[in-house]
Amino acid sequence: MNNKYIPLAATIFVFMALFGFGSAQFDSFFSMRVFTNLFTDNAFLAITAIGMTFVILSGGIDLSVGSMIACVGVATAVLIEHYQLHPLVVFPIILICATLFGSFMGFLIEKYDLPPFIVTLAGMFFLRGLSFVISIESIPITHSFYDSIADFYIPLPGNGSLTVSTLILLTVLAGAVYIAHYTRIGRNIYAVGGNEQSAALLGVPVGRTKLFVYSANSFLAALAGIVFTFYTFSGYSLAAMGLELDAIASVVIGGTLLSGGVGYVVGTIFGVLIQGVIQTIISFDGTLNSWWTKIFIGLLLFIFISLQRLISSGLLLKWWPSDKKPLVN
Amino acid sequence: MITDSISVPREDRLSAIRTSKLFWPLAALALLLSFNLITDPSFFAIEYKNGVFFGSLIDILNRAAPVALLALGMTLVIATGGIDLSVGSIMAIAGATSAWLISHEVVNSLWLILAISLGVSLLAGLWNGLLVTALGIQPIIATLILMVAGRGIAQLITNGQVLTFSHEGFEMIGGGAFLGLPLSISIVICSYALALLLLRKTALGLFIESIGSNPIASHYTGIRSNLVKFSVYGVCGVAAGLAGLILTSDIQGADANNVGLWSELDAILAVVIGGTALTGGRFSLSTTLVGVVILQTLTTTILTHGLPVQYTLIVKSAVVIIVMLLMSAEFRHQMKSLFQRGQRSE
């Protein structure tokens, strides 16, 4: 097996092991319903994490996604409830504004060479503040369109169901995999993350690539915010606190190197599913408290990061002969 | 600073003041304060009641104290080219530990409570240091682990509840007064003085700066960079623990979920506003403290002028972007050429 697939394989293995553990432990765990619910419950996190994967692949980071989800939720709720706009009119407006916001952050990062950490931190403050300014109260969404979205699903055998959120997630996933592996912009993102200077010398449009990455990420975060309103039927300015960390953790557990240039979108999905399975196991158990989720995720982060270090330091090469040199540096 | 003793020709003095690291942060602070002086002179009123001073200015310093401690530790970590995201969680762990010790009546002596809580914070900080040095993990990721897990650990200690307690000695840390000023201010001043003594009167500060600006060259000159980095993360952990104890003692309860939430970002912001580059190297503790005071003055100004609290975040984000732009070479260049073009056309 090629070295670069080890983190991805480890992630998938951990997911299956956790799911197997849950199935062995609890009676009704091993079912299509539990499996498809993982997607429905974590669709918003998965969509954000896919965007975050691209940002991290390009060697950057985006801390603003959690606030973006809250802000989109509040703005959507206000536009639908107070201004009586149809959701299908609201969504494009929100998505366009979010994408412009993302490209502005990308512009600051690219043009003035500011650290992504600080720029997106400011973005996080700004968006959270904006959602507070729009409304401090939680606004319920009562539009009939939302009811029809909640009622729609494609039934699967074994009580499983593909909800609208899941369908959106799967579409985004397909698009992301296509962009990452079959387009020029995808290759450019990997190149910029691998080594920005080399990429620039080879004629990769570094600036444009970064702009694309941050715009796309804000677009996806906004989409996740819309999916989140499908899930909660409301907009709340305190929603999704700290979600950016869950997204980053998913990306890391999914085997993407935080130094950029190496990783897979599919791994991120499994990173999200692992967090989802841990939560499901804890809720099935009933005696474990919710803070164990945080401790487990911290532990998993530690294991995966150590594994990555082990691989990139070349120690594994001795025991794991591969025909290709690993791409990690 | 060290350069004070060097004599400067008279005509260069003005530019020396202008290029001093303290100039821009202090100018910004002065601007903020004079805005308050014009719009609301009562901002500067200080009252003396029952042996304690009261007033907006005292309040600013008191509220800024926990972040100031965090920022002092963070400055050192950033100077070595690292970053510590876990300080908020370490605050929660330290607070939870102290509350647990008091409410379960494990120990009663104030000094033991302090020693154990700070010892736990030191361990947390050293854990970060271990990941960064021994395993060679990027600091932002290494400390992310404790940031995520730390709050879980703190909740484990408090059993997910807000642990309230009463302990006469311990309540002094956050609520007591010394020389008429809140005790927390004295704690910050002592920590600052101690740090200055250790860093500027020994070669330690120089080592930290050299590791931050060029780790490989420092290694070749014989600096034990891993040991220095390791200890710096430990120091940052202790500073965070102390900040957590101040907050916990102030509200007489440990709220593992909310204590120090987002304060790592405030601390990093203060360091950046103070002019220490995130890439590491040269650092200045005094400008960091000015940065902390600027942030708190900003927050208090917004509150005292009746603007809703929710605008604080928006103003803060604008300040960050403006400060970062002013520090960016490309932006300065653009502004300069704009300015020159304007002059030529006149």
Side-chain angles (χ1 to χ4, degrees):
Chain A
M1 188 164 67
N2 195 314
N3 249 320
K4 63 180 183 179
Y5 293 123
I6 295 175
L8 184 63
T11 309
I12 297 175
F13 174 75
V14 167
F15 171 70
M16 294 200 302
L18 280 171
F19 202 83
F21 169 80
S23 312
Q25 205 76 5
F26 310 108
D27 281 340
S28 51
F29 196 95
F30 189 77
S31 66
M32 201 56 162
R33 194 170 57 85
V34 170
F35 185 69
T36 51
N37 274 356
L38 280 180
F39 286 88
T40 310
D41 294 345
N42 297 295
F44 68 100
L45 176 59
I47 294 172
T48 329
I50 289 174
M52 188 69 83
T53 312
F54 283 110
V55 176
I56 291 178
L57 277 177
S58 79
I61 197 129
D62 191 342
L63 299 179
S64 70
V65 292
S67 304
M68 178 65 94
I69 288 177
C71 193
V72 164
V74 176
T76 308
V78 164
L79 286 177
I80 292 175
E81 293 300 315
H82 295 182
Y83 291 88
Q84 310 293 336
L85 291 175
H86 192 274
L88 287 177
V89 181
V90 173
F91 297 158
I93 300 176
I94 298 271
L95 289 173
I96 290 171
C97 291
T99 312
L100 286 178
F101 185 80
S103 44
F104 178 65
M105 290 198 298
F107 168 76
L108 288 178
I109 291 165
E110 185 268 313
K111 176 78 181 171
Y112 297 114
D113 208 18
L114 302 184
F117 183 83
I118 292 293
V119 172
T120 56
L121 178 63
M124 164 184 165
F125 281 167
F126 180 82
L127 290 172
R128 188 66 72 178
L130 190 63
S131 32
F132 286 147
V133 169
I134 298 175
S135 168
I136 296 183
E137 311 277 308
S138 170
I139 308 169
I141 302 174
T142 51
H143 200 278
S144 57
F145 180 77
Y146 269 72
D147 296 325
S148 46
I149 281 182
D151 291 337
F152 177 85
Y153 63 88
I154 301 172
L156 291 180
N159 263 337
S161 54
L162 291 179
T163 54
V164 175
S165 308
T166 312
L167 291 174
I168 295 178
L169 164 62
L170 293 178
T171 318
V172 168
L173 177 63
V177 170
Y178 176 75
I179 288 179
H181 301 295
Y182 299 99
T183 63
R184 179 175 303 210
I185 186 85
R187 240 172 313 218
N188 287 350
I189 293 169
Y190 276 92
V192 169
N195 190 327
E196 197 175 318
Q197 271 177 314
S198 312
L201 290 174
L202 285 169
V204 172
V206 175
R208 239 192 304 147
T209 308
K210 283 191 179 174
L211 263 183
F212 170 80
V213 163
Y214 287 97
S215 318
N217 187 39
S218 287
F219 172 84
L220 286 177
L223 188 62
I226 291 172
V227 169
F228 192 62
T229 60
F230 294 162
Y231 190 63
T232 60
F233 277 76
S234 65
Y236 185 32
S237 48
L238 281 173
M241 280 284 219
L243 187 102
E244 51 281 340
L245 295 174
D246 292 338
I248 295 171
S250 308
V251 175
V252 174
I253 294 176
T256 298
L257 280 195
L258 272 142
S259 41
V262 183
Y264 300 96
V265 178
V266 179
T268 301
I269 292 297
F270 279 97
V272 173
L273 290 180
I274 285 175
Q275 298 197 34
V277 169
I278 293 176
Q279 264 159 14
T280 312
I281 289 176
I282 283 173
S283 66
F284 259 78
D285 182 273
T287 60
L288 283 172
N289 286 307
S290 63
W291 52 83
W292 281 105
T293 319
K294 290 177 192 166
I295 298 178
F296 276 133
I297 291 171
L299 198 69
L300 275 179
L301 268 176
F302 171 66
I303 293 171
F304 274 88
I305 293 166
S306 308
L307 179 74
Q308 290 183 354
R309 280 304 302 169
L310 209 63
I311 294 165
S312 55
S313 65
L315 271 177
L316 271 186
L317 276 181
K318 288 174 192 160
W319 317 314
W320 217 309
S322 64
D323 46 343
K324 263 187 186 172
K325 280 270 176 226
L327 278 171
V328 283
N329 42 15
Chain B
M1 299 246 3
I2 318 167
T3 47
D4 285 351
S5 54
I6 303 168
S7 66
V8 186
R10 185 168 273 275
E11 59 270 25
D12 286 354
R13 281 229 180 115
L14 203 72
S15 70
I17 294 171
R18 216 156 45 114
T19 51
S20 154
K21 274 187 173 177
L22 268 172
F23 178 75
W24 287 110
L26 276 181
L29 184 59
L31 197 71
L32 254 178
L33 287 177
S34 48
F35 171 75
N36 277 309
L37 186 64
I38 296 165
T39 53
D40 179 19
S42 68
F43 194 83
F44 290 87
I46 290 177
E47 269 182 87
Y48 187 74
K49 250 189 247 165
N50 305 330
V52 185
F53 288 101
F54 288 98
S56 293
L57 293 182
I58 309 282
D59 188 57
I60 287 174
L61 293 179
N62 188 24
R63 280 175 197 274
V67 177
L69 286 171
L70 293 183
L72 285 178
M74 189 71 79
T75 310
L76 300 184
V77 171
I78 288 180
T80 63
I83 201 152
D84 190 347
L85 296 182
S86 69
V87 288
S89 293
I90 297 182
M91 285 171 79
I93 292 178
T97 311
S98 63
W100 186 83
L101 288 174
I102 297 170
S103 59
H104 287 70
E105 295 174 350
V106 183
V107 285
N108 213 5
S109 139
L110 171 65
W111 296 110
L112 259 178
I113 295 170
L114 289 184
I116 296 174
S117 310
L118 292 181
V120 171
S121 326
L122 175 68
L123 283 183
L126 290 180
W127 159 260
N128 286 330
L130 193 75
L131 294 185
V132 172
T133 53
L135 290 178
I137 301 172
Q138 275 171 291
I140 185 171
I141 308 316
T143 55
L144 178 71
I145 297 174
L146 194 58
M147 182 186 189
V148 174
R151 265 184 209 284
I153 294 171
Q155 279 171 312
L156 193 67
I157 298 173
T158 63
N159 212 9
Q161 290 155 345
V162 181
L163 264 189
T164 53
F165 57 83
S166 87
H167 185 287
E168 220 168 89
F170 189 70
E171 281 159 21
M172 288 296 287
I173 300 173
F178 178 69
L179 294 178
L181 293 174
L183 188 64
S184 52
I185 299 178
S186 311
I187 295 177
V188 173
I189 292 173
C190 288
S191 316
Y192 173 61
L194 188 70
L196 220 52
L197 198 69
L198 276 175
L199 294 166
R200 298 303 185 199
K201 293 297 167 193
T202 71
L204 199 59
L206 202 62
F207 287 174
I208 290 176
E209 291 187 337
S210 82
I211 291 169
S213 32
N214 193 334
I216 298 168
S218 334
H219 177 74
Y220 283 131
T221 53
I223 295 172
R224 296 171 67 181
S225 58
N226 271 355
L227 185 67
V228 174
K229 276 193 196 171
F230 183 65
S231 354
V232 160
Y233 282 95
V235 168
C236 191
V238 173
L242 199 54
L245 291 185
I246 290 180
L247 279 182
T248 307
S249 146
D250 191 26
I251 62 167
Q252 293 173 34
D255 184 355
N257 244 337
N258 294 315
V259 86
L261 199 63
W262 310 130
S263 48
E264 58 278 340
L265 302 179
D266 278 338
I268 296 169
L269 216 58
V271 175
V272 170
I273 290 178
T276 301
L278 276 175
T279 42
R282 298 298 286 274
F283 70 90
S284 157
L285 293 175
S286 41
T287 53
T288 295
L289 285 186
V290 177
V292 173
V293 176
I294 289 178
L295 276 179
Q296 188 57 47
T297 311
L298 199 65
T299 312
T300 310
T301 305
I302 291 172
L303 291 182
T304 52
H305 281 77
L307 263 175
V309 187
Q310 47 265 42
Y311 284 94
T312 325
L313 284 172
I314 294 187
V315 174
K316 246 188 208 174
S317 65
V319 169
V320 183
I321 290 300
I322 292 169
V323 169
M324 290 309 291
L325 280 178
L326 288 177
M327 282 165 70
S328 142
E330 172 72 26
F331 184 77
R332 282 185 187 179
H333 181 74
Q334 266 188 358
M335 286 296 112
K336 215 172 170 182
S337 55
L338 254 179
F339 186 64
Q340 279 167 349
R341 208 178 301 153
Q343 272 186 331
R344 228 172 283 146
S345 65
E346 269 172 22

